[in-house]
């Protein structure tokens, strides 16, 4: 449903230049792989958003459809019904908000409400209207690599490169300026465990595309497999992956646990600046 020209009230978002940014995850879903159902009520979601801001979140990433493996797809109106009670209140907290969706109409409504970033787990390649919506809104976009199925025999880095080239071409064609494009290799999305760690080990090679990079491995199976840890015990593994990614060039890390990741960023910057943290 198109309701006329898109009017965006957001104050915008500036990509990090001095230090990486922490994107705090706010799921308003009943079936998210990690914290599904915990923040579905508007009041609880808003409280969690406030807590993440206090802990140092630079961005809040709000999503209403789980992207975990084998998750049940959510109809557009159901997705919006989950977002509508909380989205504007979270935006009004003043921290830039990212909308985690691959549906153009959801992105359109969220940007009209004030979202500053569209986080598309299909890199503008799922919904043919998405690139135009992002361009019209003038917001940033995270274009994530994804695959319907993992293929252990695939050259995953080559596949990511070709996927990114397609996403960037779609963005350019729609009029999304390069300064507002962000790339995400998509840890855990259509990849084997070995492929995930190959991507991490070669993360710096993704900088050849000339765009900021996002890393999002928080609590994922790649960590649980190595540590033999259940979901609740994957914090330190998540921090290890994200710190490695930041050392290799990640500008944004997407995490459930904001405070420890914000501390990692502070320590990284103290080290880079050779400054006494005291």
């Amino acid at each position: 449903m198109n309701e006329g020209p898109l009017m965006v009230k957001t104050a915008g978002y500036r990509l990090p230049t001095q230090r990486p940014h922490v994107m705090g995850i706010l799921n308003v879903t009943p079936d998210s792989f990690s914290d599904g159902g915990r923040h579905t009520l508007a009041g609880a979601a808003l409280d969690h958003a406030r807590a993440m801001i206090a802990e140092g979140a630079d961005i809040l990433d709000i999503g209403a459809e789980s992207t975990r493996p084998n998750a049940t797809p959510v109809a557009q109106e159901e997705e919006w019904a989950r977002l509508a009670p909380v989205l504007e209140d979270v935006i009004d907290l003043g921290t830039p908000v990212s909308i985690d969706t691959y549906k153009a109409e959801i992105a359109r409504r969220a940007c009209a409400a004030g979202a500053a970033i569209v986080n598309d787990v299909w890199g503008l390649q799922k919904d043919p209207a998405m690139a135009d919506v992002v361009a019209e809104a003038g917001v940033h976009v995270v274009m994530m690599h994804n695959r319907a199925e993992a293929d252990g025999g695939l050259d995953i880095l080559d596949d990511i490169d070709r996927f990114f080239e397609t996403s960037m071409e779609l963005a350019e064609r729609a009029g999304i300026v390069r300064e507002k494009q962000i790339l995400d290799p998509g840890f855990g999305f259509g990849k084997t465990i070995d492929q995930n760690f190959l991507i991490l080990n070669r993360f710096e090679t993704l900088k050849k595309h000339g765009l900021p990079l996002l890393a999002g491995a928080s609590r994922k199976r790649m960590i649980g497999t190595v540590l033999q840890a259940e979901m609740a015990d994957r914090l330190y593994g998540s921090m290890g992956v994200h710190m490695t990614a930041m050392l290799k060039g990640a500008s944004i890390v997407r995490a459930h646990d904001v405070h420890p990741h914000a501390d990692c960023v502070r320590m990284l910057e103290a080290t880079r600046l050779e400054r006494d943290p005291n």
Side-chain angles (χ1 to χ4, degrees):
M1 179 178 63
N2 192 310
E3 300 174 350
L6 178 57
M7 301 300 293
V8 179
K9 70 177 184 181
T10 179
Y13 170 69
R14 290 182 179 273
L15 284 166
T17 55
Q18 299 301 316
R19 62 168 178 80
H21 281 186
V22 177
M23 175 185 277
I25 299 169
L26 180 61
N27 288 320
V28 287
T29 60
D31 62 344
S32 168
F33 90 99
S34 177
D35 56 0
R38 289 179 55 196
H39 308 301
T40 52
L41 296 176
L46 193 58
D47 287 345
H48 187 56
R50 289 193 183 101
M52 288 194 290
I53 294 169
E55 291 172 351
D58 300 289
I59 312 161
L60 299 176
D61 188 50
I62 184 168
E65 178 177 1
S66 175
T67 53
R68 66 179 174 82
N70 302 315
T72 302
V74 175
Q76 177 178 291
E77 291 308 318
E78 172 62 21
E79 185 175 352
W80 184 249
R82 296 175 181 181
L83 286 166
V86 67
L87 181 61
E88 289 203 40
D89 285 340
V90 171
I91 288 168
D92 286 344
L93 295 176
T95 294
V97 167
S98 165
I99 179 67
D100 181 0
T101 188
Y102 57 85
K103 300 183 182 77
E105 180 58 24
I106 296 297
R108 186 180 191 281
R109 296 180 192 182
C111 290
I117 306 168
V118 173
N119 184 8
D120 184 353
V121 298
W122 282 100
L124 305 179
Q125 298 182 40
K126 186 81 165 181
D127 188 329
M130 181 64 93
D132 287 336
V133 165
V134 173
E136 183 182 3
V139 298
H140 286 74
V141 61
V142 178
M143 301 179 292
M144 195 193 83
H145 173 270
N146 208 335
R147 291 182 54 80
E149 295 181 356
D151 178 357
L154 186 73
D155 182 337
I156 194 65
L157 294 174
D158 180 65
D159 195 69
I160 289 172
D161 285 342
R162 287 187 284 108
F163 187 99
F164 282 168
E165 292 295 337
T166 298
S167 293
M168 291 187 292
E169 182 180 343
L170 289 169
E172 182 177 2
R173 193 182 306 158
I176 303 170
V177 298
R178 282 184 63 84
E179 291 76 16
K180 294 192 174 181
Q181 299 176 34
I182 303 162
L183 299 177
D184 176 357
F187 288 113
F189 286 83
K191 300 168 181 73
T192 66
I193 300 299
D194 287 344
Q195 286 172 339
N196 283 319
F197 281 100
L198 174 62
I199 294 163
L200 181 63
N201 195 40
R202 307 286 178 81
F203 196 89
E204 71 278 4
T205 66
L206 301 175
K207 293 191 291 185
K208 66 186 173 187
H209 296 288
L211 296 178
L213 301 172
L214 183 150
S218 186
R219 303 183 188 175
K220 289 192 174 176
R221 187 165 63 94
M222 63 183 288
I223 295 162
T225 299
V226 171
L227 301 181
Q228 294 295 295
E230 296 300 321
M231 201 74 64
D233 297 319
R234 296 178 186 174
L235 167 60
Y236 302 127
S238 300
M239 292 166 63
V241 171
H242 288 151
M243 180 62 90
T244 300
M246 286 189 287
L247 288 169
K248 289 175 173 285
S251 295
I252 304 171
V253 291
R254 182 178 182 272
H256 294 88
D257 305 284
V258 169
H259 192 172
H261 281 86
D263 281 354
C264 280
V265 169
R266 291 171 64 191
M267 295 308 301
L268 178 63
E269 288 312 289
T271 303
R272 284 176 172 172
L273 296 173
E274 299 182 359
R275 181 176 61 198
D276 182 357
N278 297 317

